[in-house]
Amino acid sequence: MSPSCLLCRMPVQYILGEWDFQGLSLKMAPPVFIPRPETEELVEWVLKEVTQSSCPMGAQGGPLILEVGCGSGAISLSLLSQLPQSRVIAVDKGEAAICLTQENAQRLRLLDRIQIVPLDVTLEGSWSHLLPWGPMDLVVSNPPYIFHQDMEQLAPEIRSYEDPVALDGGEEGMDIITHILALAPWLLKDSGSIFLEVDPRHPELVGSWLQSRPDLSLDLVAVRKDFCGRPRFLHIRRSGP
Ligand code: GLN
């Protein structure tokens, strides 16, 4: 490793060019978001809920999963590798992320069960491109959720190298979260589930936002803490048409 890389504060994951996530070795390349350890807990929670079958299964014996904002493919590929019957649609608006997910899927020989789609969920009508795959059993996302005013406090390694679009969630960190939730009636099966990683202030904000949108028929059914004891993960379930 060149000392100049450390002096210019490049994240070690980019210097090494690969990083471990859920036992998978994934290629890393700037500016694609580097998966964080807490996101492994999100994957473990989804796996637990799916295998205990509190979540519905797809016609092929495994769930059809949509990941919004796939980055390097960490969430999608670890779910695929641990749920052999599952299929995943992974979307991201960044071209570098789409290419990296594709490369990682190829490295791990998981290309046959994943569709990787360049898509921006904030664009009007973008969801219609996902309809041909049919309604999803699960939506999973680690969306950009940092409150805009907190972006300045990020470590220099992050600010200089990672795509801010993958981090900045707007004024209250909710810009992408609310888009994902608003898509649920179009994309999710009845009683399908959404699992999100969020900021610790979000469980309350998302709860009241959902109350203001009864038309979406979504309930916040569980909040889970990360390994630092902060409320970090949400399970939201569709309660019917
Ligand atoms: N947990 C990340 C961080 O603090 C943020 C992740 C995100 O916005 N999705 O850097």
Side-chain angles (χ1 to χ4, degrees), residues 33 36 38 142-146 154 158 166-167 197 232:
F33 181 81
R36 312 290 202 264
E38 54 269 35
N142 172 19
Y145 60 71
I146 296 180
L154 293 175
I158 297 175
L167 297 158
E197 179 178 324
R232 179 69 70 194

mmCIF file with all atom_site columns, all heavy atoms in Angstrom, residues 33 36 38 142-146 154 158 166-167 197 232, ligand 1:
data_model
loop_
_atom_site.group_PDB
_atom_site.id
_atom_site.type_symbol
_atom_site.label_atom_id
_atom_site.label_alt_id
_atom_site.label_comp_id
_atom_site.label_asym_id
_atom_site.label_entity_id
_atom_site.label_seq_id
_atom_site.pdbx_PDB_ins_code
_atom_site.Cartn_x
_atom_site.Cartn_y
_atom_site.Cartn_z
_atom_site.occupancy
_atom_site.B_iso_or_equiv
_atom_site.pdbx_formal_charge
_atom_site.auth_seq_id
_atom_site.auth_comp_id
_atom_site.auth_asym_id
_atom_site.auth_atom_id
_atom_site.pdbx_PDB_model_num
ATOM   1   N N   . PHE A 1 33  ? -20.409 3.939  -2.943 1.00 0.00 ? 33  PHE A N   1
ATOM   2   C CA  . PHE A 1 33  ? -20.586 3.835  -1.492 1.00 0.00 ? 33  PHE A CA  1
ATOM   3   C C   . PHE A 1 33  ? -19.958 2.547  -0.930 1.00 0.00 ? 33  PHE A C   1
ATOM   4   O O   . PHE A 1 33  ? -20.185 1.455  -1.466 1.00 0.00 ? 33  PHE A O   1
ATOM   5   C CB  . PHE A 1 33  ? -22.092 3.876  -1.198 1.00 0.00 ? 33  PHE A CB  1
ATOM   6   C CG  . PHE A 1 33  ? -22.444 3.795  0.261  1.00 0.00 ? 33  PHE A CG  1
ATOM   7   C CD1 . PHE A 1 33  ? -22.372 4.916  1.063  1.00 0.00 ? 33  PHE A CD1 1
ATOM   8   C CD2 . PHE A 1 33  ? -22.857 2.594  0.820  1.00 0.00 ? 33  PHE A CD2 1
ATOM   9   C CE1 . PHE A 1 33  ? -22.695 4.843  2.406  1.00 0.00 ? 33  PHE A CE1 1
ATOM   10  C CE2 . PHE A 1 33  ? -23.190 2.514  2.160  1.00 0.00 ? 33  PHE A CE2 1
ATOM   11  C CZ  . PHE A 1 33  ? -23.099 3.637  2.957  1.00 0.00 ? 33  PHE A CZ  1
ATOM   12  N N   . ARG A 1 36  ? -21.141 -0.402 5.067  1.00 0.00 ? 36  ARG A N   1
ATOM   13  C CA  . ARG A 1 36  ? -20.753 -0.241 6.465  1.00 0.00 ? 36  ARG A CA  1
ATOM   14  C C   . ARG A 1 36  ? -21.148 -1.488 7.259  1.00 0.00 ? 36  ARG A C   1
ATOM   15  O O   . ARG A 1 36  ? -22.077 -2.207 6.870  1.00 0.00 ? 36  ARG A O   1
ATOM   16  C CB  . ARG A 1 36  ? -21.463 0.970  7.092  1.00 0.00 ? 36  ARG A CB  1
ATOM   17  C CG  . ARG A 1 36  ? -21.407 2.259  6.277  1.00 0.00 ? 36  ARG A CG  1
ATOM   18  C CD  . ARG A 1 36  ? -20.009 2.845  6.257  1.00 0.00 ? 36  ARG A CD  1
ATOM   19  N NE  . ARG A 1 36  ? -20.012 4.266  5.951  1.00 0.00 ? 36  ARG A NE  1
ATOM   20  C CZ  . ARG A 1 36  ? -19.821 4.803  4.746  1.00 0.00 ? 36  ARG A CZ  1
ATOM   21  N NH1 . ARG A 1 36  ? -19.634 4.021  3.698  1.00 0.00 ? 36  ARG A NH1 1
ATOM   22  N NH2 . ARG A 1 36  ? -19.837 6.115  4.580  1.00 0.00 ? 36  ARG A NH2 1
ATOM   23  N N   . GLU A 1 38  ? -22.857 -1.795 9.934  1.00 0.00 ? 38  GLU A N   1
ATOM   24  C CA  . GLU A 1 38  ? -24.255 -1.863 10.426 1.00 0.00 ? 38  GLU A CA  1
ATOM   25  C C   . GLU A 1 38  ? -25.193 -2.441 9.359  1.00 0.00 ? 38  GLU A C   1
ATOM   26  O O   . GLU A 1 38  ? -26.203 -3.072 9.684  1.00 0.00 ? 38  GLU A O   1
ATOM   27  C CB  . GLU A 1 38  ? -24.771 -0.514 10.948 1.00 0.00 ? 38  GLU A CB  1
ATOM   28  C CG  . GLU A 1 38  ? -24.660 0.666  10.015 1.00 0.00 ? 38  GLU A CG  1
ATOM   29  C CD  . GLU A 1 38  ? -23.347 1.439  10.189 1.00 0.00 ? 38  GLU A CD  1
ATOM   30  O OE1 . GLU A 1 38  ? -22.300 0.812  10.465 1.00 0.00 ? 38  GLU A OE1 1
ATOM   31  O OE2 . GLU A 1 38  ? -23.383 2.677  10.029 1.00 0.00 ? 38  GLU A OE2 1
ATOM   32  N N   . ASN A 1 142 ? -30.633 0.625  1.852  1.00 0.00 ? 142 ASN A N   1
ATOM   33  C CA  . ASN A 1 142 ? -29.837 1.510  2.704  1.00 0.00 ? 142 ASN A CA  1
ATOM   34  C C   . ASN A 1 142 ? -29.747 2.805  1.907  1.00 0.00 ? 142 ASN A C   1
ATOM   35  O O   . ASN A 1 142 ? -28.779 3.026  1.183  1.00 0.00 ? 142 ASN A O   1
ATOM   36  C CB  . ASN A 1 142 ? -28.454 0.905  2.950  1.00 0.00 ? 142 ASN A CB  1
ATOM   37  C CG  . ASN A 1 142 ? -27.535 1.882  3.659  1.00 0.00 ? 142 ASN A CG  1
ATOM   38  O OD1 . ASN A 1 142 ? -27.978 2.845  4.280  1.00 0.00 ? 142 ASN A OD1 1
ATOM   39  N ND2 . ASN A 1 142 ? -26.229 1.652  3.552  1.00 0.00 ? 142 ASN A ND2 1
ATOM   40  N N   . PRO A 1 143 ? -30.795 3.632  1.991  1.00 0.00 ? 143 PRO A N   1
ATOM   41  C CA  . PRO A 1 143 ? -30.840 4.807  1.107  1.00 0.00 ? 143 PRO A CA  1
ATOM   42  C C   . PRO A 1 143 ? -29.915 5.910  1.628  1.00 0.00 ? 143 PRO A C   1
ATOM   43  O O   . PRO A 1 143 ? -29.431 5.820  2.758  1.00 0.00 ? 143 PRO A O   1
ATOM   44  C CB  . PRO A 1 143 ? -32.309 5.244  1.235  1.00 0.00 ? 143 PRO A CB  1
ATOM   45  C CG  . PRO A 1 143 ? -32.678 4.873  2.637  1.00 0.00 ? 143 PRO A CG  1
ATOM   46  C CD  . PRO A 1 143 ? -31.911 3.611  2.945  1.00 0.00 ? 143 PRO A CD  1
ATOM   47  N N   . PRO A 1 144 ? -29.679 6.946  0.819  1.00 0.00 ? 144 PRO A N   1
ATOM   48  C CA  . PRO A 1 144 ? -29.009 8.119  1.396  1.00 0.00 ? 144 PRO A CA  1
ATOM   49  C C   . PRO A 1 144 ? -29.924 8.682  2.481  1.00 0.00 ? 144 PRO A C   1
ATOM   50  O O   . PRO A 1 144 ? -31.072 8.998  2.193  1.00 0.00 ? 144 PRO A O   1
ATOM   51  C CB  . PRO A 1 144 ? -28.914 9.094  0.209  1.00 0.00 ? 144 PRO A CB  1
ATOM   52  C CG  . PRO A 1 144 ? -29.566 8.449  -0.951 1.00 0.00 ? 144 PRO A CG  1
ATOM   53  C CD  . PRO A 1 144 ? -30.092 7.122  -0.562 1.00 0.00 ? 144 PRO A CD  1
ATOM   54  N N   . TYR A 1 145 ? -29.442 8.747  3.718  1.00 0.00 ? 145 TYR A N   1
ATOM   55  C CA  . TYR A 1 145 ? -30.343 9.207  4.800  1.00 0.00 ? 145 TYR A CA  1
ATOM   56  C C   . TYR A 1 145 ? -29.715 10.257 5.715  1.00 0.00 ? 145 TYR A C   1
ATOM   57  O O   . TYR A 1 145 ? -30.292 10.651 6.722  1.00 0.00 ? 145 TYR A O   1
ATOM   58  C CB  . TYR A 1 145 ? -30.866 8.029  5.622  1.00 0.00 ? 145 TYR A CB  1
ATOM   59  C CG  . TYR A 1 145 ? -29.816 7.181  6.330  1.00 0.00 ? 145 TYR A CG  1
ATOM   60  C CD1 . TYR A 1 145 ? -29.100 7.671  7.428  1.00 0.00 ? 145 TYR A CD1 1
ATOM   61  C CD2 . TYR A 1 145 ? -29.582 5.872  5.933  1.00 0.00 ? 145 TYR A CD2 1
ATOM   62  C CE1 . TYR A 1 145 ? -28.171 6.878  8.088  1.00 0.00 ? 145 TYR A CE1 1
ATOM   63  C CE2 . TYR A 1 145 ? -28.645 5.071  6.575  1.00 0.00 ? 145 TYR A CE2 1
ATOM   64  C CZ  . TYR A 1 145 ? -27.948 5.579  7.655  1.00 0.00 ? 145 TYR A CZ  1
ATOM   65  O OH  . TYR A 1 145 ? -27.035 4.795  8.304  1.00 0.00 ? 145 TYR A OH  1
ATOM   66  N N   . ILE A 1 146 ? -28.518 10.709 5.390  1.00 0.00 ? 146 ILE A N   1
ATOM   67  C CA  . ILE A 1 146 ? -27.884 11.714 6.250  1.00 0.00 ? 146 ILE A CA  1
ATOM   68  C C   . ILE A 1 146 ? -28.599 13.054 6.068  1.00 0.00 ? 146 ILE A C   1
ATOM   69  O O   . ILE A 1 146 ? -28.922 13.447 4.936  1.00 0.00 ? 146 ILE A O   1
ATOM   70  C CB  . ILE A 1 146 ? -26.380 11.820 5.923  1.00 0.00 ? 146 ILE A CB  1
ATOM   71  C CG1 . ILE A 1 146 ? -25.726 10.475 6.278  1.00 0.00 ? 146 ILE A CG1 1
ATOM   72  C CG2 . ILE A 1 146 ? -25.714 12.976 6.650  1.00 0.00 ? 146 ILE A CG2 1
ATOM   73  C CD1 . ILE A 1 146 ? -24.242 10.395 6.010  1.00 0.00 ? 146 ILE A CD1 1
ATOM   74  N N   . LEU A 1 154 ? -19.012 14.763 8.142  1.00 0.00 ? 154 LEU A N   1
ATOM   75  C CA  . LEU A 1 154 ? -18.473 13.458 7.740  1.00 0.00 ? 154 LEU A CA  1
ATOM   76  C C   . LEU A 1 154 ? -16.944 13.506 7.690  1.00 0.00 ? 154 LEU A C   1
ATOM   77  O O   . LEU A 1 154 ? -16.359 14.551 7.425  1.00 0.00 ? 154 LEU A O   1
ATOM   78  C CB  . LEU A 1 154 ? -19.012 13.063 6.363  1.00 0.00 ? 154 LEU A CB  1
ATOM   79  C CG  . LEU A 1 154 ? -20.504 12.777 6.268  1.00 0.00 ? 154 LEU A CG  1
ATOM   80  C CD1 . LEU A 1 154 ? -20.889 12.529 4.806  1.00 0.00 ? 154 LEU A CD1 1
ATOM   81  C CD2 . LEU A 1 154 ? -20.909 11.594 7.136  1.00 0.00 ? 154 LEU A CD2 1
ATOM   82  N N   . ILE A 1 158 ? -14.506 10.222 3.675  1.00 0.00 ? 158 ILE A N   1
ATOM   83  C CA  . ILE A 1 158 ? -15.820 10.018 3.062  1.00 0.00 ? 158 ILE A CA  1
ATOM   84  C C   . ILE A 1 158 ? -16.137 11.176 2.129  1.00 0.00 ? 158 ILE A C   1
ATOM   85  O O   . ILE A 1 158 ? -16.510 10.989 0.976  1.00 0.00 ? 158 ILE A O   1
ATOM   86  C CB  . ILE A 1 158 ? -16.910 9.878  4.168  1.00 0.00 ? 158 ILE A CB  1
ATOM   87  C CG1 . ILE A 1 158 ? -16.631 8.638  5.020  1.00 0.00 ? 158 ILE A CG1 1
ATOM   88  C CG2 . ILE A 1 158 ? -18.310 9.858  3.569  1.00 0.00 ? 158 ILE A CG2 1
ATOM   89  C CD1 . ILE A 1 158 ? -17.565 8.468  6.195  1.00 0.00 ? 158 ILE A CD1 1
ATOM   90  N N   . ALA A 1 166 ? -25.021 9.335  -2.607 1.00 0.00 ? 166 ALA A N   1
ATOM   91  C CA  . ALA A 1 166 ? -25.360 8.088  -1.904 1.00 0.00 ? 166 ALA A CA  1
ATOM   92  C C   . ALA A 1 166 ? -25.535 8.296  -0.406 1.00 0.00 ? 166 ALA A C   1
ATOM   93  O O   . ALA A 1 166 ? -25.912 7.373  0.318  1.00 0.00 ? 166 ALA A O   1
ATOM   94  C CB  . ALA A 1 166 ? -24.278 7.048  -2.156 1.00 0.00 ? 166 ALA A CB  1
ATOM   95  N N   . LEU A 1 167 ? -25.273 9.513  0.070  1.00 0.00 ? 167 LEU A N   1
ATOM   96  C CA  . LEU A 1 167 ? -25.294 9.790  1.510  1.00 0.00 ? 167 LEU A CA  1
ATOM   97  C C   . LEU A 1 167 ? -26.325 10.846 1.903  1.00 0.00 ? 167 LEU A C   1
ATOM   98  O O   . LEU A 1 167 ? -27.004 10.720 2.915  1.00 0.00 ? 167 LEU A O   1
ATOM   99  C CB  . LEU A 1 167 ? -23.910 10.304 1.945  1.00 0.00 ? 167 LEU A CB  1
ATOM   100 C CG  . LEU A 1 167 ? -22.744 9.333  1.768  1.00 0.00 ? 167 LEU A CG  1
ATOM   101 C CD1 . LEU A 1 167 ? -21.422 10.081 1.704  1.00 0.00 ? 167 LEU A CD1 1
ATOM   102 C CD2 . LEU A 1 167 ? -22.719 8.334  2.912  1.00 0.00 ? 167 LEU A CD2 1
ATOM   103 N N   . GLU A 1 197 ? -32.517 0.860  6.279  1.00 0.00 ? 197 GLU A N   1
ATOM   104 C CA  . GLU A 1 197 ? -31.559 1.405  7.241  1.00 0.00 ? 197 GLU A CA  1
ATOM   105 C C   . GLU A 1 197 ? -31.771 2.919  7.261  1.00 0.00 ? 197 GLU A C   1
ATOM   106 O O   . GLU A 1 197 ? -31.905 3.526  6.192  1.00 0.00 ? 197 GLU A O   1
ATOM   107 C CB  . GLU A 1 197 ? -30.124 1.070  6.819  1.00 0.00 ? 197 GLU A CB  1
ATOM   108 C CG  . GLU A 1 197 ? -29.112 1.641  7.797  1.00 0.00 ? 197 GLU A CG  1
ATOM   109 C CD  . GLU A 1 197 ? -27.672 1.293  7.440  1.00 0.00 ? 197 GLU A CD  1
ATOM   110 O OE1 . GLU A 1 197 ? -27.405 0.188  6.951  1.00 0.00 ? 197 GLU A OE1 1
ATOM   111 O OE2 . GLU A 1 197 ? -26.822 2.174  7.658  1.00 0.00 ? 197 GLU A OE2 1
ATOM   112 N N   . ARG A 1 232 ? -31.913 1.959  14.182 1.00 0.00 ? 232 ARG A N   1
ATOM   113 C CA  . ARG A 1 232 ? -31.242 2.083  12.879 1.00 0.00 ? 232 ARG A CA  1
ATOM   114 C C   . ARG A 1 232 ? -31.990 1.404  11.736 1.00 0.00 ? 232 ARG A C   1
ATOM   115 O O   . ARG A 1 232 ? -31.789 1.722  10.585 1.00 0.00 ? 232 ARG A O   1
ATOM   116 C CB  . ARG A 1 232 ? -29.839 1.457  13.024 1.00 0.00 ? 232 ARG A CB  1
ATOM   117 C CG  . ARG A 1 232 ? -28.974 1.432  11.815 1.00 0.00 ? 232 ARG A CG  1
ATOM   118 C CD  . ARG A 1 232 ? -28.514 2.803  11.389 1.00 0.00 ? 232 ARG A CD  1
ATOM   119 N NE  . ARG A 1 232 ? -27.568 3.382  12.309 1.00 0.00 ? 232 ARG A NE  1
ATOM   120 C CZ  . ARG A 1 232 ? -27.228 4.681  12.295 1.00 0.00 ? 232 ARG A CZ  1
ATOM   121 N NH1 . ARG A 1 232 ? -27.738 5.506  11.404 1.00 0.00 ? 232 ARG A NH1 1
ATOM   122 N NH2 . ARG A 1 232 ? -26.377 5.143  13.187 1.00 0.00 ? 232 ARG A NH2 1
HETATM 123 N N1  . GLN B 2 .   ? -24.141 5.020  7.711  1.00 0.00 ? 1   GLN B N1  1
HETATM 124 C C1  . GLN B 2 .   ? -23.579 5.874  6.708  1.00 0.00 ? 1   GLN B C1  1
HETATM 125 C C2  . GLN B 2 .   ? -22.626 6.878  7.289  1.00 0.00 ? 1   GLN B C2  1
HETATM 126 O O1  . GLN B 2 .   ? -22.835 7.315  8.391  1.00 0.00 ? 1   GLN B O1  1
HETATM 127 C C3  . GLN B 2 .   ? -24.684 6.588  5.945  1.00 0.00 ? 1   GLN B C3  1
HETATM 128 C C4  . GLN B 2 .   ? -25.343 5.656  5.083  1.00 0.00 ? 1   GLN B C4  1
HETATM 129 C C5  . GLN B 2 .   ? -26.382 6.232  4.224  1.00 0.00 ? 1   GLN B C5  1
HETATM 130 O O2  . GLN B 2 .   ? -26.621 7.440  4.058  1.00 0.00 ? 1   GLN B O2  1
HETATM 131 N N2  . GLN B 2 .   ? -27.045 5.332  3.685  1.00 0.00 ? 1   GLN B N2  1
HETATM 132 O O3  . GLN B 2 .   ? -21.664 7.226  6.644  1.00 0.00 ? 1   GLN B O3  1
#
